[in-house]
Amino acid sequence: MKKTVILLVVAITALSISCSVSGRGGTKDKGKDKKEIVVPVQVEVLEKGPISSFILSSGTVEAEMSVDIVAETTGVVEKLNVEEGDSVKKGQILAVVNFEELKLSKDKAEVALKEAENTFKRTKNMFDRQLVSQEDYDNARFNYNQKKLDFDNAKVKYDKSMIKAPFDGVVTERFITAGQFLPMNQKAFSLVNRDLLKVNVFIPEERVRELKVGMSANLVSEAAKQTFKGSVKRVSHIVDPSTGTVKVTVYVKHDPNIRPGMFVKVRLLTDTISDALLVPKKAVVYLNDRRYIFLYDAKTKEAKQVELKIGYQDEIQFQSLNKDLKVGDQIIVAGQNGLKDGAKVRLG
């Protein structure tokens, strides 16, 4: 029994020594297998280029010249000459109302005027030769003037029977149909001049000093996926006390793809720097309301963290004001999230 106990103790001791040796060997192997993490990144080279300062706003495109054309006479619409979407010229006849009746009245008045004019001329000739009395002369002159007035009135009514375009433009709406009875002053058509479009925007009063008439503007339509050119036409001298803004009117350069009613974002270009050092926004990491970028050091294969100081910016880039950045520096644009200053990186 005593011999058995001794053998058991020896066996346990040997097993403990074996485990201890094995454990030390395992720790040593893990130390050998541990490798430093190298983060794959992508870089771009810093370059100089133009960047602009601008004021952002938005608004709806309107026609500077737009009008609702109303009937100036009463009667039946006898003829329609245009449809919605048609381009028309100033003075073009869009529709006629009670035309035949008013034309007949004008023609009759014209004939009566011609007769009265001839009678007056004969009477005056005879009066000059003292062949007729003063009363005959006065009656002939009065009759001529009356017939002239009748003709003028008939011609005005006749002219009003023709609904005409007051300026070149496009018919945007038609409110009447052929054969309907049209009361006076009823709306017949809407007309806009698409060659002269505008957008009214409202700019905070503290930025109005940056604006001037004639400065360039870009109008971006997300729906049309297009950018249109424009310029500042008017800057109001009045501040709206309820909003603290000033009305600015931007004229849109003629383009067949821009239409009244379109919603656009407006960028008023206040300044441009032609040789700014540009940092792509995709390279920037934000931390505690600060902007950081990482430079790639080709010698040490490390990432160097730099706090970015900015000037102007647009949708895709910042102007860098950092004195320690220069053209040709390699900036990390992918893989920088989670990096720390001095982290090992590789291109890939």
Side-chain angles (χ1 to χ4, degrees), residues 17 52 160 173 187-188 222 255 272 301 337 342:
I17 294 171
S52 297
K160 288 182 177 180
E173 289 187 88
K187 189 159 55 174
E222 294 183 351
D255 189 304
T272 297
K301 303 295 190 292
N337 291 320

Side-chain angles (χ1 to χ4, degrees), residues 106-125:
K106 178 187 75 74
D107 291 345
K108 289 172 64 176
E110 188 174 13
V111 170
L113 173 61
K114 192 66 176 177
E115 291 178 354
E117 182 181 15
N118 291 336
T119 299
F120 174 64
K121 286 180 178 179
R122 287 195 304 270
T123 303
K124 184 178 184 304
N125 184 45

